[in-house]
Amino acid sequence: MKAQRQINLEILRILCMLFIVTGHIGGRSGIESFSSFSTIAPHAVNCFVLISGYFLITSKFKIERALRVINETIFYTFAITIILYLFGKADLYDIAKSIIPFAPTKFSYWFVNKYLAVILLSPFINRVCCSLSKKQYQ
């Protein structure tokens, strides 16, 4: 039997993504109307991680999930670096470094690193969460 989608959490996760993206835009654009999004963005990141953890607690561990995150990181980092190169904001050295995931670059991978840690530690976190009583949770 397939698990039912929880549309309310999915919508909240989409809103969190929207706030995160607009927070990035607002933080770098200097436009006043985006300043409120810049203050919401850190909270949206926390909310996004909590929702992801909620969905991960009932899912089976699959190494493919971590590999997919790594592959997507490489693809988008390379694509964005190429675009930045075309606009003169990156050089050939940045393009070469973008092929190697998590190498020190101008671009920060702090969230991807944390998300991968949650994915890889999820079997252990799930085991602890499932063994706690309600009183121990509190």
Side-chain angles (χ1 to χ4, degrees):
M1 187 161 137
K2 208 171 189 181
Q4 265 189 322
R5 292 184 82 79
Q6 296 183 9
I7 195 72
N8 54 346
L9 291 177
E10 296 287 347
I11 290 171
L12 181 59
R13 192 157 55 168
I14 290 168
L15 286 173
C16 288
M17 287 184 240
L18 176 70
F19 283 128
I20 292 166
V21 170
T22 54
H24 282 91
I25 293 169
R28 292 184 175 56
S29 69
I31 300 171
E32 283 298 316
S33 61
F34 280 114
S35 63
S36 60
F37 287 111
S38 297
T39 57
I40 294 172
H43 304 294
V45 171
N46 294 335
C47 188
F48 182 84
V49 170
L50 287 172
I51 294 169
S52 297
Y54 175 77
F55 286 124
L56 279 173
I57 200 163
T58 57
S59 68
K60 293 267 187 199
F61 175 76
K62 297 176 188 163
I63 194 68
E64 293 84 23
R65 183 177 289 136
L67 294 174
R68 188 180 70 225
V69 170
I70 292 169
N71 287 335
E72 288 173 359
T73 302
I74 293 169
F75 173 78
Y76 286 109
T77 302
F78 182 73
I80 290 169
T81 305
I82 292 293
I83 292 168
L84 290 173
Y85 176 75
L86 296 174
F87 286 101
K89 301 291 184 184
D91 55 20
L92 291 174
Y93 184 65
D94 291 324
I95 293 172
K97 288 194 303 185
S98 71
I99 297 170
I100 304 168
F102 315 108
T105 64
K106 294 179 186 177
F107 319 108
S108 176
Y109 290 110
W110 71 269
F111 182 79
V112 177
N113 290 334
K114 305 299 185 253
Y115 190 68
L116 277 174
V118 168
I119 290 172
L120 295 174
L121 292 174
S122 67
F124 306 107
I125 296 169
N126 293 352
R127 184 164 289 185
V128 169
C129 289
C130 292
S131 67
L132 294 176
S133 67
K134 184 176 179 180
K135 186 174 181 178
Q136 289 171 324
Y137 267 119
Q138 293 172 345

